[in-house]
Amino acid sequence: MNTAGHPEATARRGLELTPFRGLRYDPDRVGSLAAVTSPPYDVVVRPDGLHHLQDSDPHNIVRLILPQADTPAARNEQAARTLHRWQSEGVLTTDTDPGLYVYEQADGDGMLQRGVIGALRVSEPSEGLVLPHEDVMPHVVADRADLMRATSANLEPLLLTYRGNGTAADTSSVIERTIEGPPLLATTTEDGFSHRLWSITDPADLARIQSDLIHRQALIADGHHRWATYRRLRAEHGSPSPWDYGLVLLVDTARYPLRVRAIHRLLHGMPVPDALAALDGHFRVRRLEVPLAAALETLADAACAGNAFLIAGDGAFHLVDQPDAALLARTVPGDHPAAWRTLDATVLHATLLAHVWHVPEDDPTRIAYIHDTAATVEKAERDGGTAVLMHPVREDVVRDLARQGVTMPRKSTSFGPKPASGLVLRALDL
């Protein structure tokens, strides 16, 4: 039985967050902490962003999370060798005492996010404790699983959210008391975000956090493929084992609301004229001779009235909206709630990709998923492809669907700010 949405079920067994001995960069052995960090593996725009990160420091974490070699097996072997070499050389060192880690991110525009990093007990969707809201691509899960097996490590935390009661509850009180002390590390990355990390090792504080979270239910904000990977590896290794737990950052969005942004699509090998021609008679198409920011505002206005997208890649923007009702009725599955059937991502995948453009959603040679809007447009213009720009979904829609056990189409949302990779790792053989 799916227990999602039933507080009495989560009260019996909820989120079990355990301390671990963090594996962290020795600041005396690297150029700077900012230079060795990276966005999560699936946010890095390849090859441009990958090369930039590799060049920023020879020890950048991207060499572990996105190793480069001729074959998948060689890439994973290289990551494992690199990780072990950095440990033996003292570039990465293990904290003496197991702990949870308070992580703070802030920017110059007033965004402040604080949460707790720890090893969370891996659970199945049927337990209703960690709720996914998106489908996953099997080949990505297989790729991440191969990398985690090879390195025997959780190289970057995924992002989970939960809803506290909006007051200084036990976890919040421990966080706010902890940040009054000196951090383990502090750095500012080139995107303007400052990052600070503290450890919590006091048994009373750890118990207070654990007793608070045992009553909570989490939503996967970012990291569906890594969570699916945790589940696969736990099943492979059996219990008990270190694979029973996975590295996560838990954020109370009642206190620290996240930003929700869209994830865009880049259609390889499909010029914009071909993409637009296929829409004839199915959608209204209007050419916009305006800059990107103005085009996104027009998209936001159109999205209030119904499904809408921006097409780019030929030097202009094309607003695509007002889909043919008969086409939607024929292509969008009717066995889901109305909130799911009317999602832009649902219409994009079920109608545009599957029936209009005939692009397989899980074929990396045909389609890419990119978080950065300007980068999506630039790559489409440079490569002769088509950028499909999306409008973000509201968080309450995501959470409501997840509680109903309904998953959205893959790569429907981008919650942020995302935790920087490289600040703390979890080695499973410690």
Side-chain angles (χ1 to χ4, degrees):
M1 180 182 69
N2 191 328
T3 58
H6 297 278
E8 66 275 13
T10 57
R12 289 197 297 270
R13 188 174 189 183
L15 304 176
E16 297 179 19
L17 194 67
T18 66
F20 68 103
R21 296 175 63 202
L23 187 62
R24 298 188 294 109
Y25 282 101
D26 182 343
D28 295 330
R29 298 296 305 273
V30 297
S32 74
L33 289 173
V36 297
T37 65
S38 164
Y41 79 97
D42 59 338
V43 181
V44 176
V45 178
R46 289 168 272 188
D48 302 358
L50 179 65
H51 292 158
H52 172 72
L53 291 164
Q54 287 178 329
D55 294 342
S56 65
D57 191 284
H59 299 109
N60 189 282
I61 191 67
V62 78
R63 297 178 185 273
L64 299 182
I65 62 175
L66 289 173
Q68 298 301 294
D70 293 336
T71 67
R75 289 195 294 268
N76 296 326
E77 291 170 5
Q78 177 176 289
R81 287 196 303 270
T82 301
L83 175 60
H84 297 148
R85 185 176 72 252
W86 289 355
Q87 289 177 275
S88 64
E89 293 174 350
V91 173
L92 288 170
T93 60
T94 306
D95 286 335
T96 303
D97 299 317
L100 300 176
Y101 295 83
V102 172
Y103 177 42
E104 176 191 271
Q105 294 168 275
D107 66 8
D109 297 326
M111 164 60 76
L112 176 65
Q113 178 175 288
R114 294 183 182 127
V116 179
I117 296 175
L120 184 69
R121 185 184 71 85
V122 178
S123 59
E124 294 300 311
S126 60
E127 297 179 65
L129 302 178
V130 176
L131 305 179
H133 69 268
E134 291 182 356
D135 292 329
V136 296
M137 292 175 273
H139 75 276
V140 177
V141 176
D143 174 75
R144 290 294 101 183
D146 290 342
L147 179 62
M148 287 190 202
R149 285 191 206 95
T151 58
S152 191
N154 299 151
L155 300 173
E156 47 185 348
L158 53 86
L159 175 61
L160 304 183
T161 72
Y162 69 97
R163 300 287 293 178
N165 56 15
T167 64
D170 287 339
T171 298
S172 298
S173 64
V174 174
I175 288 175
E176 291 172 11
R177 187 170 64 252
T178 300
I179 64 171
E180 294 176 358
L184 292 175
L185 63 86
T187 190
T188 300
T189 45
E190 62 180 19
D191 58 4
F193 270 90
S194 65
H195 307 262
R196 297 197 294 172
L197 193 76
W198 295 260
S199 65
I200 303 173
T201 57
D202 179 76
D205 286 340
L206 295 174
R208 190 170 291 113
I209 291 174
Q210 291 171 323
S211 64
D212 176 33
L213 294 178
I214 202 68
H215 302 290
R216 307 297 178 191
Q217 179 187 61
L219 174 74
I220 301 176
D222 185 69
H224 284 80
H225 290 90
R226 282 167 284 166
W227 184 254
T229 301
Y230 290 168
R231 290 173 47 217
R232 173 181 293 192
L233 294 175
R234 183 189 67 162
E236 287 180 6
H237 289 82
S239 296
S241 83
W243 299 96
D244 288 342
Y245 297 84
L247 187 64
V248 306
L249 166 64
L250 274 166
V251 174
D252 177 2
T253 52
R255 293 184 63 80
Y256 301 104
L258 271 65
R259 294 170 175 162
V260 186
R261 293 192 169 104
I263 302 176
H264 310 296
R265 276 67 171 161
L266 175 62
L267 309 183
H268 301 303
M270 179 178 290
V272 170
D274 293 353
L276 295 178
L279 297 174
D280 187 38
H282 299 309
F283 287 77
R284 182 176 68 170
V285 179
R286 288 179 286 163
R287 183 182 178 94
L288 307 177
E289 295 288 354
V290 297
L292 174 59
L296 291 173
E297 290 180 2
T298 303
L299 173 63
D301 291 339
C304 293
N307 301 118
F309 313 90
L310 278 180
I311 300 295
D314 62 347
F317 296 99
H318 308 268
L319 181 66
V320 175
D321 65 354
Q322 295 189 7
D324 176 65
L327 174 67
L328 296 185
R330 188 170 68 251
T331 57
V332 175
D335 58 348
H336 286 68
W340 180 90
R341 297 197 306 272
T342 55
L343 289 170
D344 287 339
T346 298
V347 172
L348 173 63
H349 283 253
T351 304
L352 285 170
L353 293 180
H355 291 273
V356 176
W357 290 325
H358 304 290
V359 174
E361 63 181 17
D362 56 357
D363 183 351
T365 68
R366 300 288 304 282
I367 186 171
Y369 299 82
I370 304 178
H371 294 71
D372 185 89
T373 309
T376 311
V377 176
E378 291 167 5
K379 287 181 70 66
E381 292 178 346
R382 185 174 64 225
D383 302 339
T386 292
V388 183
L389 307 183
M390 309 280 288
H391 184 67
V393 183
R394 299 192 319 273
E395 181 184 358
D396 62 314
V397 173
V398 176
R399 192 175 294 275
D400 287 346
L401 285 172
R403 283 177 171 159
Q404 296 177 58
V406 177
T407 55
M408 298 165 64
R410 58 198 59 173
K411 299 294 183 182
S412 294
T413 60
S414 176
F415 284 86
K418 304 178 190 302
S421 299
L423 297 180
V424 60
L425 293 66
R426 175 178 175 251
L428 276 74
D429 54 2
L430 293 177

